[in-house]
Amino acid sequence: MTSSRVLVLNSGSSSVKYQLLDMSDSRRLAQGLVERIGEETSRVKHSPADGETREWSGAISDHDAALKAVAQELSRDGLGLDSPELAAIGHRVVHGGKHFTEPTVIDDTVLAEIERLIPVAPLHNPANLTGIRTAQALRPDLPQVAVFDTAFHTTMPESAARYAIDVETADAHRIRRYGFHGTSHAYVSRATAKLLGKAPEEANVIVLHLGNGASASAVRGGRCVDTSMGLTPLEGLVMGTRSGDLDPAVIFHLMRVGGMSADEIDNLLNKKSGLIGLCGDNDMREIRRRIEEGDESAQLAFDIYIHRLRKYIGAYYAVLGRVDAVAFTAGVGENASAVREAAVAGLAELGLAVDDELNAVRSDEPRLISPPSARVAVAVVPTDEELEIATQTYALVKGSDILT
Ligand code: AMP
């Protein structure tokens, strides 16, 4: 029997998201999530492709118990993890530093390196490690592959990756711009080239991943040359709850004058800033509804969000020199036509425009929203990070290049 299934695991500190895919036809067989691990009221939601979604609550004490619950749910659909059809498990790993430029089969050395990166990813890498170790214990015979959020950005030149600070200090603490959402930027830039009928090597694309977290990237011929997130996901665009770019002196000011601690400022900038800090809402649907009702703080939050986005489009236009497409993706990018319209409004001189009718279309398919005459294509390309992780995992374990 050929093994063509890949289980994709995205392990957070108190949650595990998963998808089982059949890579012979890239079909999703099941997906789900375990939340509130470690609490009395953990929640499991499991959706088989060919059946009803099942949800239940109960105490799930740790990641081991969570993965066993996932295995049990999959077994009920005849998709058990003991099946010989399972080829590999692909893990999303947030931080791979400079070292990991490709998806990597996990061994002890790889585990040690992911662990060594914990100081630059204190929230994410420990949870990812727990997920990997748990899956290894469950299926020690199976290849486990790490797919890093940072890997796609390791092609950035030093001129884009280095901060202009003392080199010795930067290197001693591994301070540089790593970028995140790389799996999504890789998938969307490739899918955009395909939409244009070009090979990835022929297309220059600005990818705007606008979800609750948000980042932009400049992709030249399939390789990332700049991205808006940095050492951590805090840099760059205005996000749901993160400030994005700000003068670093704001931090000293809050410490010296505001009497705040480093942890308090960390919390302020990551959790209470961005759209939620500006207007109290981080859901773009709610912000648009409030704007329709004449709410001024929602309007200002939207304007600040759009202003930053336009600055990055302009910056990456200059970085690339020639742009074939601007691609919108993730929750806001795929759904909020008002954001797409405002982001490129008045940029006809740069060859950028959206067609109102095309922009209003709702679809799960990649599509162009620019007028046919536009010099630069504007596209909406739904992201699929799980499919990308599964594709990279499968290509690695099967030793073939099946990336499309
Ligand atoms: P993500 O992080 O990619 O799941 O994106 C989540 C965000 O997408 C939410 O916070 C919403 O702001 C936004 N979103 C989802 N659906 C819509 C929609 N129909 N219109 C506008 N924004 C949306």
Side-chain angles (χ1 to χ4, degrees):
M1 180 182 296
T2 54
S3 53
S4 58
R5 290 182 190 161
V6 174
L7 177 69
V8 175
L9 288 181
N10 181 352
S11 307
S13 55
S14 63
S15 69
V16 176
K17 290 191 200 135
Y18 63 94
Q19 284 195 12
L20 184 69
L21 294 105
D22 189 329
M23 297 316 293
S24 61
D25 54 5
S26 301
R27 201 160 44 96
R28 226 169 294 270
L29 301 172
Q31 59 185 314
L33 110 137
V34 185
E35 285 179 307
R36 300 202 287 266
I37 297 170
E39 295 180 28
E40 288 301 314
T41 54
S42 314
R43 200 170 72 93
V44 177
K45 185 174 176 184
H46 176 84
S47 306
D50 304 323
E52 294 283 301
T53 294
R54 301 190 290 272
E55 283 188 67
W56 52 272
S57 274
I60 294 179
S61 57
D62 54 20
H63 280 73
D64 186 42
L67 204 54
K68 285 189 176 132
V70 172
Q72 217 164 30
E73 289 298 331
L74 288 166
S75 289
R76 282 181 63 185
D77 302 319
L79 301 167
L81 296 186
D82 49 0
S83 163
E85 287 182 72
L86 189 61
I89 301 182
H91 297 267
R92 175 182 184 220
V93 179
V94 168
H95 215 310
K98 272 171 78 173
H99 187 79
F100 293 112
T101 59
E102 303 276 347
T104 306
V105 175
I106 299 167
D107 60 16
D108 287 348
T109 319
V110 173
L111 279 176
E113 185 59 28
I114 297 172
E115 197 157 8
R116 225 163 60 85
L117 287 162
I118 287 176
V120 284
L123 294 180
H124 294 110
N125 276 26
N128 299 157
L129 276 170
T130 307
I132 293 168
R133 291 197 172 109
T134 312
Q136 280 180 324
L138 201 70
R139 281 295 305 267
D141 55 314
L142 214 58
Q144 313 260 344
V145 173
V147 178
F148 299 93
D149 255 22
T150 46
F152 184 61
H153 305 305
T154 55
T155 51
M156 275 196 289
E158 283 296 283
S159 53
R162 275 209 178 265
Y163 291 108
I165 63 171
D166 172 66
V167 172
E168 267 181 44
T169 309
D171 288 350
H173 299 288
R174 300 205 223 183
I175 295 170
R176 61 188 280 115
R177 307 190 57 255
Y178 294 101
F180 298 88
H181 292 147
T183 311
S184 175
H185 287 282
Y187 177 85
V188 171
S189 58
R190 227 174 38 241
T192 305
K194 195 171 170 188
L195 187 65
L196 301 182
K198 292 181 181 239
E201 300 75 38
E202 295 168 341
N204 288 357
V205 184
I206 297 174
V207 179
L208 304 169
H209 176 112
L210 310 177
N212 197 32
S215 62
S217 69
V219 183
R220 177 182 291 131
R223 291 164 67 85
C224 177
V225 292
D226 203 353
T227 194
S228 60
M229 286 178 166
L231 173 74
T232 77
L234 184 55
E235 191 179 342
L237 299 174
V238 175
M239 309 182 208
T241 67
R242 298 190 191 111
S243 63
D245 295 336
L246 84 174
D247 181 347
V250 169
I251 296 165
F252 322 139
H253 189 80
L254 288 171
M255 284 180 147
R256 292 180 187 136
V257 180
M260 291 175 74
S261 70
D263 284 346
E264 284 168 339
I265 299 170
D266 189 328
N267 191 46
L268 174 79
L269 299 180
N270 276 297
K271 302 268 171 65
K272 295 187 190 162
S273 296
L275 293 171
I276 208 158
L278 288 166
C279 73
D281 269 309
N282 62 334
D283 192 318
M284 193 53 82
R285 286 163 287 204
E286 189 56 20
I287 291 171
R288 290 303 308 169
R289 195 191 58 72
R290 285 172 54 187
I291 290 172
E292 299 294 320
E293 289 176 352
D295 185 316
E296 285 180 16
S297 74
Q299 181 70 60
L300 181 60
F302 184 80
D303 292 347
I304 295 169
Y305 182 95
I306 296 295
H307 180 72
R308 185 82 53 85
L309 192 54
R310 290 166 64 87
K311 273 169 78 165
Y312 271 90
I313 294 172
Y316 287 174
Y317 208 117
V319 165
L320 290 171
R322 188 203 87 224
V323 179
D324 296 300
V326 174
F328 288 88
T329 194
V332 175
E334 290 167 28
N335 296 297
S337 55
V339 168
R340 299 191 297 254
E341 183 187 341
V344 302
L347 299 183
E349 284 289 323
L350 296 179
L352 282 163
V354 297
D355 176 286
D356 291 343
E357 266 178 43
L358 294 175
N359 192 29
V361 171
R362 299 191 66 84
S363 158
D364 293 336
E365 294 298 315
R367 60 200 183 272
L368 294 177
I369 58 168
S370 42
S373 58
R375 196 152 37 85
V376 178
V378 181
V380 180
V381 179
T383 193
D384 195 335
E385 288 169 280
E386 288 77 17
L387 175 61
E388 176 71 13
I389 292 172
T391 304
Q392 294 193 11
T393 298
Y394 193 64
L396 186 63
V397 300
K398 294 289 174 185
S400 66
D401 184 8
I402 61 162
L403 297 183
T404 50

mmCIF file of all heavy atoms in Angstrom, residues 211-212 282-285 330-332 335-336 362, ligand 1:
data_model
loop_
_atom_site.group_PDB
_atom_site.id
_atom_site.type_symbol
_atom_site.label_atom_id
_atom_site.label_comp_id
_atom_site.label_asym_id
_atom_site.label_seq_id
_atom_site.Cartn_x
_atom_site.Cartn_y
_atom_site.Cartn_z
ATOM 1 N N GLY A 211 -4.134 39.038 8.387
ATOM 2 C CA GLY A 211 -5.032 38.298 9.269
ATOM 3 C C GLY A 211 -5.071 39.049 10.585
ATOM 4 O O GLY A 211 -4.899 40.273 10.620
ATOM 5 N N ASN A 212 -5.260 38.336 11.689
ATOM 6 C CA ASN A 212 -5.160 39.032 12.977
ATOM 7 C C ASN A 212 -3.706 39.471 13.168
ATOM 8 O O ASN A 212 -3.426 40.598 13.545
ATOM 9 C CB ASN A 212 -5.644 38.118 14.100
ATOM 10 C CG ASN A 212 -5.935 38.917 15.346
ATOM 11 O OD1 ASN A 212 -6.343 40.083 15.290
ATOM 12 N ND2 ASN A 212 -5.664 38.312 16.505
ATOM 13 N N ASN A 282 -10.722 44.383 17.197
ATOM 14 C CA ASN A 282 -9.690 43.934 16.261
ATOM 15 C C ASN A 282 -10.283 43.158 15.097
ATOM 16 O O ASN A 282 -9.552 42.681 14.237
ATOM 17 C CB ASN A 282 -8.601 43.107 16.966
ATOM 18 C CG ASN A 282 -9.141 41.848 17.587
ATOM 19 O OD1 ASN A 282 -10.323 41.784 17.921
ATOM 20 N ND2 ASN A 282 -8.305 40.852 17.750
ATOM 21 N N ASP A 283 -11.597 43.031 15.066
ATOM 22 C CA ASP A 283 -12.224 42.330 13.948
ATOM 23 C C ASP A 283 -12.627 43.345 12.879
ATOM 24 O O ASP A 283 -13.424 44.249 13.135
ATOM 25 C CB ASP A 283 -13.455 41.557 14.449
ATOM 26 C CG ASP A 283 -13.965 40.598 13.391
ATOM 27 O OD1 ASP A 283 -14.005 40.991 12.194
ATOM 28 O OD2 ASP A 283 -14.330 39.468 13.738
ATOM 29 N N MET A 284 -12.062 43.183 11.695
ATOM 30 C CA MET A 284 -12.297 44.159 10.622
ATOM 31 C C MET A 284 -13.772 44.274 10.267
ATOM 32 O O MET A 284 -14.247 45.340 9.874
ATOM 33 C CB MET A 284 -11.438 43.764 9.412
ATOM 34 C CG MET A 284 -11.328 44.815 8.347
ATOM 35 S SD MET A 284 -10.777 46.440 8.944
ATOM 36 C CE MET A 284 -9.004 46.249 9.016
ATOM 37 N N ARG A 285 -14.547 43.181 10.418
ATOM 38 C CA ARG A 285 -15.976 43.251 10.124
ATOM 39 C C ARG A 285 -16.662 44.256 11.042
ATOM 40 O O ARG A 285 -17.475 45.065 10.616
ATOM 41 C CB ARG A 285 -16.647 41.880 10.325
ATOM 42 C CG ARG A 285 -16.322 40.895 9.250
ATOM 43 C CD ARG A 285 -16.647 39.502 9.672
ATOM 44 N NE ARG A 285 -15.677 39.034 10.653
ATOM 45 C CZ ARG A 285 -15.396 37.766 10.883
ATOM 46 N NH1 ARG A 285 -16.051 36.826 10.242
ATOM 47 N NH2 ARG A 285 -14.496 37.416 11.760
ATOM 48 N N ALA A 330 -5.180 35.910 3.685
ATOM 49 C CA ALA A 330 -5.577 35.747 5.104
ATOM 50 C C ALA A 330 -6.914 36.444 5.381
ATOM 51 O O ALA A 330 -7.485 37.056 4.483
ATOM 52 C CB ALA A 330 -4.482 36.216 6.035
ATOM 53 N N GLY A 331 -7.405 36.321 6.605
ATOM 54 C CA GLY A 331 -8.785 36.702 6.952
ATOM 55 C C GLY A 331 -9.224 38.053 6.406
ATOM 56 O O GLY A 331 -10.274 38.160 5.752
ATOM 57 N N VAL A 332 -8.428 39.093 6.650
ATOM 58 C CA VAL A 332 -8.790 40.436 6.184
ATOM 59 C C VAL A 332 -8.533 40.547 4.680
ATOM 60 O O VAL A 332 -9.387 41.011 3.921
ATOM 61 C CB VAL A 332 -7.978 41.510 6.952
ATOM 62 C CG1 VAL A 332 -8.255 42.899 6.389
ATOM 63 C CG2 VAL A 332 -8.297 41.458 8.446
ATOM 64 N N ASN A 335 -11.148 38.708 2.585
ATOM 65 C CA ASN A 335 -12.568 39.040 2.758
ATOM 66 C C ASN A 335 -12.922 40.518 2.729
ATOM 67 O O ASN A 335 -14.055 40.868 2.409
ATOM 68 C CB ASN A 335 -13.073 38.462 4.088
ATOM 69 C CG ASN A 335 -13.017 36.950 4.114
ATOM 70 O OD1 ASN A 335 -13.701 36.309 3.324
ATOM 71 N ND2 ASN A 335 -12.187 36.386 4.966
ATOM 72 N N ALA A 336 -11.999 41.379 3.126
ATOM 73 C CA ALA A 336 -12.363 42.787 3.299
ATOM 74 C C ALA A 336 -12.075 43.581 2.018
ATOM 75 O O ALA A 336 -10.980 44.108 1.818
ATOM 76 C CB ALA A 336 -11.610 43.387 4.492
ATOM 77 N N ARG A 362 -17.111 37.312 -4.011
ATOM 78 C CA ARG A 362 -16.667 36.480 -2.884
ATOM 79 C C ARG A 362 -16.439 35.069 -3.403
ATOM 80 O O ARG A 362 -17.293 34.495 -4.057
ATOM 81 C CB ARG A 362 -17.712 36.471 -1.767
ATOM 82 C CG ARG A 362 -17.987 37.857 -1.192
ATOM 83 C CD ARG A 362 -18.804 37.765 0.069
ATOM 84 N NE ARG A 362 -18.057 37.101 1.129
ATOM 85 C CZ ARG A 362 -17.193 37.716 1.916
ATOM 86 N NH1 ARG A 362 -16.959 38.988 1.783
ATOM 87 N NH2 ARG A 362 -16.567 37.058 2.861
HETATM 88 P P1 AMP B 1 -6.806 35.155 10.264
HETATM 89 O O1 AMP B 1 -5.823 35.541 11.328
HETATM 90 O O2 AMP B 1 -6.191 35.013 8.908
HETATM 91 O O3 AMP B 1 -7.697 34.002 10.637
HETATM 92 O O4 AMP B 1 -7.788 36.423 10.112
HETATM 93 C C1 AMP B 1 -8.669 36.780 11.152
HETATM 94 C C2 AMP B 1 -9.253 38.157 10.888
HETATM 95 O O5 AMP B 1 -9.877 38.196 9.592
HETATM 96 C C3 AMP B 1 -10.366 38.535 11.841
HETATM 97 O O6 AMP B 1 -9.866 39.160 12.986
HETATM 98 C C4 AMP B 1 -11.190 39.497 11.030
HETATM 99 O O7 AMP B 1 -10.752 40.817 11.310
HETATM 100 C C5 AMP B 1 -10.862 39.212 9.601
HETATM 101 N N1 AMP B 1 -12.023 38.759 8.839
HETATM 102 C C6 AMP B 1 -12.525 37.513 8.747
HETATM 103 N N2 AMP B 1 -13.621 37.509 7.947
HETATM 104 C C7 AMP B 1 -13.800 38.783 7.518
HETATM 105 C C8 AMP B 1 -14.762 39.427 6.674
HETATM 106 N N3 AMP B 1 -15.758 38.766 6.092
HETATM 107 N N4 AMP B 1 -14.623 40.764 6.473
HETATM 108 C C9 AMP B 1 -13.616 41.441 7.055
HETATM 109 N N5 AMP B 1 -12.695 40.893 7.853
HETATM 110 C C10 AMP B 1 -12.776 39.577 8.092
#
